Amino acid sequence: MATMIVRSTETLPIRAEADVVMVRQKARAVATEAGLGLVDVTKLVTATSELARNALIYGGGGTALIESLQDGIRKGVRLTFEDQGPGIPDIEKAMTDGYTSGSGMGLGLSGAKRLSNDFSIHSVVGQGTRVMIARWK
Amino acid sequence: MERIPILRMGDFLLVTIQVDMHDRLAMTLQDDLTTRISKTGATGVLIDISALEIVDSFIGRMISNISAMSRVLDAQTVIVGMQPAVAITLVELGLTLPGVKTALDVEKGMQMLRVIGGGSVVPPESDGDDDRQEY
Ligand SMILES: Nc1ncnc2c1ncn2[C@@H]1O[C@H](COP(=O)(O)OP(=O)(O)O)[C@@H](O)[C@H]1O
Ligand SMILES: [Mg+2]
């Protein structure tokens, strides 16, 4: 049975809007290097942008872990966004298309899920939020 | 402060987005365009996004806002050059951009604006007697 190998890993801070741009660019570089096609790269980077912005705006800042993965012959990219912000009291509601507690379009979480092959979210009120996405070649 | 340039071409304003915009830069562009439309009385706005590698919900909202705001000021906005991968992604993200006009490239966008607005791409200070193109 094949085991999953982490080919590279990098953690980037998300403290300002310019960091969101940096995370997008790094995600693009890693996804392209892993051999993902343009549409897959675009989907992953768009999801990345949404989740990095959420970590900044709602989470008060955090980090993005970018990993290049190999699972057997499959290559992919996984991103984990983490913050120590207020957490999400009702994840189901937050995942609903169009729901925003701020002034957004309410498509970040639900859209990021649709744009990714793997998606998971873990949030504890008062402790923070962690969202993981992955896209495979 | 960093800004995205807005070019004037006769009755139209042309914006070419060439950088990966952070959110505040996008907001600034929205504000700058509003000011320029009301100052110049432009009848059309052309936004070339062919260099944009993604359109996320924030940029999508900016595009919707610019389009709606220009209509209020009696101008039309056309978004041109969206990359196919961006368009595919936009749909899956769930963004529909209702009321936003799009065209394949700058030339087609220009044509669209002329048909809708009847404006001219010839600068008003040019020597032509009546360069206004009517459709
Ligand atoms: N990292 C986070 N920390 C706390 N709340 C969050 C976080 N991410 C998302 N949320 C909550 O989920 C809602 C929906 O998020 P999203 O789908 O990205 O839409 P939007 O950003 O437009 O509000 C947000 O309005 C916010 O209330
Ligand atoms: Mg969001």
Side-chain angles (χ1 to χ4, degrees), chain A residues 50-51 53-60 81-83 85-91 93-111 121 123 128-131, chain B residues 57:
Chain A
E50 297 293 344
L51 299 175
R53 181 182 295 109
N54 281 354
L56 178 66
I57 295 179
Y58 300 113
F81 301 88
E82 228 174 308
D83 66 64
I88 303 174
D90 186 341
I91 290 180
K93 191 161 120 193
M95 291 291 305
T96 309
D97 271 350
Y99 172 79
T100 178
S101 66
S103 57
M105 297 193 81
L107 291 172
L109 286 177
S110 52
I121 181 166
S123 189
T129 301
R130 185 175 67 236
V131 184
Chain B
S57 66

Side-chain angles (χ1 to χ4, degrees), chain B residues 33-38 41-43 68-75:
Chain B
L33 262 176
T34 315
T35 312
R36 284 292 289 279
I37 293 170
S38 63
T43 59
M69 167 277 292
S70 67
R71 269 196 299 275
V72 173
L73 295 170
D74 211 16

Side-chain angles (χ1 to χ4, degrees), chain A residues 25-49:
Chain A
Q25 288 172 353
K26 190 70 202 177
R28 174 176 298 278
V30 173
T32 304
E33 195 274 331
L36 269 70
L38 181 59
V39 172
D40 286 338
V41 171
T42 306
K43 287 179 179 180
L44 185 77
V45 175
T46 305
T48 293
S49 186

Side-chain angles (χ1 to χ4, degrees), chain A residues 8-30:
Chain A
S8 76
T9 165
E10 186 164 0
T11 304
L12 298 176
I14 306 172
R15 284 190 225 99
E17 282 179 7
D19 295 333
V20 176
V21 176
M22 272 303 293
V23 173
R24 283 204 293 251
Q25 288 172 353
K26 190 70 202 177
R28 174 176 298 278
V30 173

Side-chain angles (χ1 to χ4, degrees), chain B residues 12-13 15 33 37 43-47 66 70 75-78 113:
Chain B
F12 302 152
L13 299 177
V15 178
L33 262 176
I37 293 170
T43 59
V45 177
L46 210 72
I47 303 178
I66 289 174
S70 67
Q76 298 295 327
T77 296
V78 178
L113 282 179

Side-chain angles (χ1 to χ4, degrees), chain B residues 13-110:
Chain B
L13 299 177
L14 176 64
V15 178
T16 306
I17 301 172
Q18 274 160 331
V19 291
D20 192 345
M21 290 186 289
H22 55 77
D23 292 357
R24 198 162 21 80
L25 187 58
M27 289 305 290
T28 307
L29 174 62
Q30 191 177 313
D31 294 346
D32 286 353
L33 262 176
T34 315
T35 312
R36 284 292 289 279
I37 293 170
S38 63
K39 243 196 222 155
T40 59
T43 59
V45 177
L46 210 72
I47 303 178
D48 183 359
I49 61 164
S50 56
L52 268 194
E53 291 178 313
I54 64 154
V55 170
D56 61 16
S57 66
F58 194 88
I59 301 295
R61 191 172 56 140
M62 176 204 78
I63 289 172
S64 289
N65 285 352
I66 289 174
S67 166
M69 167 277 292
S70 67
R71 269 196 299 275
V72 173
L73 295 170
D74 211 16
Q76 298 295 327
T77 296
V78 178
I79 304 297
V80 302
M82 187 185 293
Q83 292 178 17
V86 172
I88 292 167
T89 301
L90 209 66
V91 173
E92 207 160 310
L93 179 63
L95 266 174
T96 50
L97 303 181
V100 175
K101 294 186 184 63
T102 56
L104 275 182
D105 52 38
V106 172
E107 203 180 316
K108 294 207 172 64
M110 215 53 119

